[in-house]
Amino acid sequence: MTDEDEVRRLRERVAQLELELATGPRPRTQDSPQPRERRVIWRTVASAILITLACLLAPLSATAVWASRQVSDTDQYLKTVAPLADDPSVQTTISDAVTNEILAAIDIEGITDEALNAISQQGLPPRVAANLQALSGPLVSGVQSFIRDQVANFVASPDFAAVWRQANETAHSELVNLLEGNQGGALSAQNDTVTLNLAPIIAQVKERLVARGFGVAENIPVVNKSIVLVQSDGVTKAQGFYRLLNTLGVWLPIICLLLFAAGVYVARNHRRALLIGALGFAGSMLALGVGLALGRALYLNALPSDVISRETGGVVFDTIVRYLRYSLRAVGVLALIVAFAAFFTGPSVSAVKTRAGLTRGIGALRGNAESAGLNTGRFGAWTFAHKRMLLIASIIGGALVLTFWSQPTVSVVVVIAVIVLFLIAVIEFLGRPPAAASVAGGPGPSAPA
């Protein structure tokens, strides 16, 4: 190529560049490939879908664990309902129901009149016989009060707690049958109505009254009376919901956590995805708490007013679901802790300043300790070199403790979080940077030029 050809080629190139500068760059066609941008979009969409599904499944996961562990398991169920035997409102409701059935089964007035007539026919003076008949009302009232006091004393005694546990142990399988849609037993559900058979309770109370010398209780016949506890079209829906949750069991929480972890993993910004997902988990636990409050109101509205009081019904509901409430609060607090951790490890100004302040503070403590003669030596250098691994191990250890804790409460979550933060602070304190090690041990090797 001659010099003239080279000059001509350069002039053509300059003219082309001037034309592009004047008219603007050539627009991209729709067919131009943009693989990187497409990958970013798909990762963002996939992460959002996975994290949203995890947040939606979180309330169902907590409820599934509660249904499989608290309701289906007999020992845990007995532990759940045991406090009801000591609740005053529950004791009053049971005492009133049992007393009313006993008084209805025994003709106190008839027995009293018969006894007074038999006494008056023993040749008493007319005036004495007339006064004796006037005692009928007070005697009947006194016997009724005696029965009420005896039943109330028994219900408030430690013996009733044992009877309560035994009765609930027997009735637990029937409760599960009820929730699974099976019929028969002390508890049954037909035509959207839940009833309770009082016969077993009255029979045991009768035995204990007779054992305490109250012979009139011998006249109590076998009572086969059922009372309506709930009458609502939600009974059938609750049965189906229970069967679904009990079938899913512990698998639903595992699926939920896997979806959440996958959503954070595929996200372009892992920290931001973790922050948003943790806040979503906290919001879902809040929604579950609101749902329980609404369910409580619906349950109390469905209770027949002539069976048990709303106060007693509320105590029963709160006792049954208390472990579910403990779980949702614990998960909510844990999610908020994770969200705060994700935020303070981010690039925001407040997060950076907070981290810098903590680092300076720990560094100052380390410097004061070394000035006082406390030197970690090689162990400090090894800790600094493996600091990332140690921090991850501390966090994973705390997570494993929470995972295998049978019933973590809010206090348990907070204590474990504080312990993990303390371990992180200790690791930061013990880890001696190479520069600090060089200063403490003398001049290190000169840097290469």
Side-chain angles (χ1 to χ4, degrees), residues 88-104 144 147-153 155 160 198 201-202 205 225 227 306-309 312:
S89 63
V90 175
Q91 291 179 350
T92 300
T93 299
I94 295 175
S95 298
D96 292 341
V98 173
T99 301
N100 291 337
E101 289 303 317
I102 292 176
L103 293 178
Q144 291 176 346
I147 293 176
R148 291 184 183 277
D149 291 341
Q150 291 298 315
V151 174
N153 291 337
V155 171
F160 175 72
L198 293 178
I201 299 176
I202 296 177
V205 172
K225 179 178 176 57
I227 58 175
D306 58 341
V307 176
I308 60 177
S309 64
T312 303

Coordinates of all heavy atoms in Angstrom, one line a residue, residues 88-104 144 147-153 155 160 198 201-202 205 225 227 306-309 312:
P88 N -58.5 -20.1 86.6 CA -59.8 -20.0 87.3 C -61.0 -20.0 86.5 O -62.0 -20.5 86.9 CB -59.5 -18.6 88.0 CG -58.1 -18.4 88.0 CD -57.5 -19.1 86.8
S89 N -61.0 -19.3 85.3 CA -62.2 -19.3 84.5 C -62.6 -20.6 84.0 O -63.7 -21.0 83.9 CB -62.0 -18.3 83.3 OG -60.9 -18.7 82.5
V90 N -61.5 -21.4 83.6 CA -61.8 -22.8 83.1 C -62.4 -23.7 84.3 O -63.3 -24.4 84.1 CB -60.6 -23.4 82.5 CG1 -60.8 -24.9 82.2 CG2 -60.1 -22.7 81.3
Q91 N -61.8 -23.5 85.5 CA -62.3 -24.3 86.6 C -63.7 -23.9 86.9 O -64.5 -24.8 87.3 CB -61.4 -24.0 87.8 CG -60.0 -24.6 87.7 CD -59.1 -24.3 88.9 OE1 -59.5 -23.4 89.8 NE2 -58.0 -24.9 89.0
T92 N -64.0 -22.6 86.9 CA -65.4 -22.2 87.1 C -66.4 -22.8 86.1 O -67.5 -23.2 86.5 CB -65.5 -20.6 87.1 OG1 -64.6 -20.1 88.1 CG2 -66.9 -20.2 87.4
T93 N -66.0 -22.7 84.8 CA -66.9 -23.3 83.8 C -67.1 -24.8 84.0 O -68.3 -25.2 83.9 CB -66.2 -23.0 82.4 OG1 -66.1 -21.6 82.2 CG2 -67.1 -23.6 81.3
I94 N -66.1 -25.5 84.3 CA -66.2 -27.0 84.5 C -67.0 -27.2 85.8 O -67.9 -28.1 85.8 CB -64.8 -27.6 84.6 CG1 -64.1 -27.5 83.2 CG2 -65.0 -29.1 85.0 CD1 -62.7 -28.0 83.3
S95 N -66.8 -26.5 86.8 CA -67.5 -26.7 88.1 C -69.0 -26.4 87.8 O -69.9 -27.2 88.3 CB -67.0 -25.7 89.1 OG -65.7 -26.0 89.5
D96 N -69.4 -25.4 87.1 CA -70.8 -25.0 86.9 C -71.4 -26.1 86.0 O -72.6 -26.6 86.3 CB -70.9 -23.7 86.2 CG -70.5 -22.5 87.1 OD1 -70.5 -22.8 88.4 OD2 -70.2 -21.4 86.6
A97 N -70.7 -26.6 85.0 CA -71.3 -27.6 84.1 C -71.5 -28.9 84.8 O -72.6 -29.5 84.7 CB -70.4 -27.8 82.9
V98 N -70.5 -29.3 85.6 CA -70.7 -30.6 86.3 C -71.7 -30.5 87.4 O -72.5 -31.4 87.6 CB -69.3 -31.0 86.9 CG1 -69.4 -32.3 87.8 CG2 -68.3 -31.3 85.7
T99 N -71.7 -29.4 88.1 CA -72.7 -29.2 89.2 C -74.1 -29.2 88.7 O -75.0 -29.9 89.2 CB -72.4 -27.9 90.0 OG1 -71.1 -28.0 90.5 CG2 -73.4 -27.7 91.1
N100 N -74.4 -28.5 87.6 CA -75.7 -28.5 87.0 C -76.2 -29.9 86.5 O -77.3 -30.2 86.7 CB -75.7 -27.5 85.8 CG -75.5 -26.1 86.2 OD1 -75.8 -25.7 87.4 ND2 -75.1 -25.2 85.3
E101 N -75.3 -30.7 86.0 CA -75.6 -32.0 85.6 C -75.9 -32.9 86.8 O -76.9 -33.7 86.8 CB -74.5 -32.6 84.7 CG -74.4 -32.0 83.4 CD -75.7 -32.1 82.6 OE1 -76.4 -33.1 82.6 OE2 -76.1 -31.1 81.9
I102 N -75.1 -32.7 87.9 CA -75.4 -33.5 89.1 C -76.7 -33.2 89.7 O -77.5 -34.0 90.1 CB -74.2 -33.4 90.1 CG1 -73.0 -34.0 89.5 CG2 -74.6 -34.0 91.4 CD1 -71.7 -33.8 90.4
L103 N -77.0 -31.9 89.8 CA -78.3 -31.4 90.4 C -79.4 -31.8 89.5 O -80.5 -32.1 90.1 CB -78.2 -29.9 90.6 CG -77.2 -29.4 91.6 CD1 -77.3 -27.8 91.7 CD2 -77.5 -29.9 93.0
A104 N -79.2 -31.9 88.2 CA -80.3 -32.3 87.4 C -80.6 -33.8 87.5 O -81.7 -34.3 87.3 CB -80.0 -31.9 85.9
Q144 N -77.6 -28.2 98.0 CA -77.1 -27.7 96.7 C -75.8 -26.9 96.9 O -74.8 -27.1 96.1 CB -78.1 -26.8 96.0 CG -79.4 -27.6 95.6 CD -80.4 -26.6 95.0 OE1 -80.3 -25.4 95.2 NE2 -81.4 -27.2 94.3
I147 N -73.0 -29.4 97.4 CA -72.6 -30.1 96.2 C -71.7 -29.1 95.4 O -70.6 -29.6 94.9 CB -73.8 -30.5 95.4 CG1 -74.5 -31.7 96.1 CG2 -73.4 -31.0 94.0 CD1 -75.8 -32.1 95.4
R148 N -72.1 -27.9 95.3 CA -71.3 -26.9 94.5 C -69.9 -26.8 95.2 O -68.9 -26.7 94.5 CB -72.0 -25.6 94.5 CG -73.3 -25.6 93.6 CD -73.9 -24.2 93.5 NE -75.1 -24.2 92.8 CZ -75.2 -24.2 91.4 NH1 -74.1 -24.1 90.7 NH2 -76.3 -24.2 90.8
D149 N -69.9 -26.7 96.5 CA -68.6 -26.5 97.2 C -67.7 -27.7 97.0 O -66.5 -27.6 96.7 CB -68.8 -26.3 98.7 CG -69.4 -24.9 98.9 OD1 -69.4 -24.0 98.0 OD2 -70.0 -24.7 100.0
Q150 N -68.3 -28.9 97.0 CA -67.5 -30.1 96.9 C -66.9 -30.2 95.5 O -65.8 -30.6 95.3 CB -68.4 -31.4 97.2 CG -68.7 -31.5 98.6 CD -67.5 -31.7 99.5 OE1 -66.6 -32.5 99.2 NE2 -67.5 -31.0 100.6
V151 N -67.8 -29.9 94.5 CA -67.3 -30.0 93.1 C -66.2 -28.9 92.9 O -65.2 -29.2 92.2 CB -68.5 -29.8 92.1 CG1 -67.9 -29.7 90.7 CG2 -69.5 -30.9 92.2
A152 N -66.4 -27.7 93.4 CA -65.5 -26.6 93.2 C -64.1 -27.0 93.9 O -63.1 -26.7 93.3 CB -66.0 -25.3 93.8
N153 N -64.2 -27.5 95.1 CA -63.0 -27.9 95.8 C -62.2 -29.0 95.0 O -61.0 -29.0 95.0 CB -63.3 -28.4 97.2 CG -63.8 -27.3 98.1 OD1 -63.5 -26.1 97.9 ND2 -64.6 -27.6 99.1
V155 N -62.4 -29.6 91.8 CA -61.8 -29.0 90.5 C -60.6 -28.2 90.8 O -59.6 -28.1 90.0 CB -62.9 -28.2 89.8 CG1 -62.3 -27.4 88.6 CG2 -64.0 -29.1 89.3
F160 N -57.7 -33.0 90.6 CA -58.3 -32.7 89.3 C -57.3 -32.5 88.2 O -57.6 -32.9 87.0 CB -59.1 -31.4 89.4 CG -59.7 -30.9 88.1 CD1 -60.8 -31.6 87.6 CD2 -59.2 -29.8 87.4 CE1 -61.4 -31.2 86.3 CE2 -59.8 -29.4 86.2 CZ -60.8 -30.1 85.7
L198 N -70.0 -35.0 78.1 CA -69.7 -34.8 79.5 C -69.6 -36.1 80.4 O -69.3 -36.0 81.5 CB -70.6 -33.8 80.2 CG -70.6 -32.4 79.7 CD1 -71.6 -31.6 80.4 CD2 -69.2 -31.8 79.8
I201 N -66.3 -37.1 82.3 CA -66.0 -36.2 83.4 C -66.9 -36.4 84.6 O -66.5 -36.5 85.7 CB -66.0 -34.8 82.9 CG1 -65.0 -34.6 81.7 CG2 -65.7 -33.8 84.0 CD1 -65.1 -33.2 81.1
I202 N -68.2 -36.5 84.3 CA -69.2 -36.6 85.4 C -68.9 -38.0 86.1 O -69.1 -38.1 87.4 CB -70.6 -36.5 84.9 CG1 -70.9 -35.1 84.3 CG2 -71.6 -36.9 86.0 CD1 -72.2 -34.9 83.7
V205 N -66.0 -37.6 88.5 CA -66.3 -36.7 89.6 C -67.2 -37.5 90.6 O -67.1 -37.4 91.8 CB -67.0 -35.4 89.1 CG1 -67.6 -34.6 90.3 CG2 -66.1 -34.6 88.3
K225 N -74.8 -36.9 78.1 CA -75.2 -35.6 77.6 C -74.0 -34.9 76.9 O -72.8 -35.0 77.3 CB -75.6 -34.7 78.8 CG -76.0 -33.3 78.3 CD -76.4 -32.4 79.5 CE -76.7 -31.0 79.1 NZ -77.7 -30.9 78.0
I227 N -72.7 -31.3 74.9 CA -72.9 -29.9 74.8 C -72.2 -29.4 73.5 O -71.2 -29.9 73.1 CB -72.4 -29.1 76.0 CG1 -70.9 -29.4 76.2 CG2 -73.1 -29.5 77.3 CD1 -70.2 -28.6 77.3
D306 N -74.7 -20.2 75.8 CA -75.2 -20.9 76.9 C -74.3 -22.1 77.3 O -74.7 -22.9 78.2 CB -76.6 -21.5 76.6 CG -76.6 -22.3 75.4 OD1 -75.7 -22.2 74.6 OD2 -77.6 -23.1 75.2
V307 N -73.1 -22.2 76.7 CA -72.2 -23.3 77.0 C -71.0 -22.9 77.9 O -70.9 -23.3 79.0 CB -71.7 -24.0 75.7 CG1 -70.7 -25.1 76.0 CG2 -72.9 -24.5 74.9
I308 N -70.2 -22.0 77.3 CA -69.1 -21.5 78.1 C -69.0 -20.0 77.8 O -69.5 -19.5 76.8 CB -67.7 -22.2 77.7 CG1 -67.4 -22.0 76.3 CG2 -67.7 -23.6 78.1 CD1 -66.1 -22.6 75.9
S309 N -68.4 -19.3 78.7 CA -68.2 -17.8 78.6 C -67.2 -17.5 77.5 O -66.3 -18.3 77.2 CB -67.9 -17.2 79.9 OG -66.6 -17.6 80.3
T312 N -63.7 -17.8 79.1 CA -63.1 -19.2 79.1 C -62.7 -19.6 77.7 O -61.7 -20.2 77.5 CB -64.2 -20.1 79.7 OG1 -64.5 -19.7 81.0 CG2 -63.6 -21.5 79.8

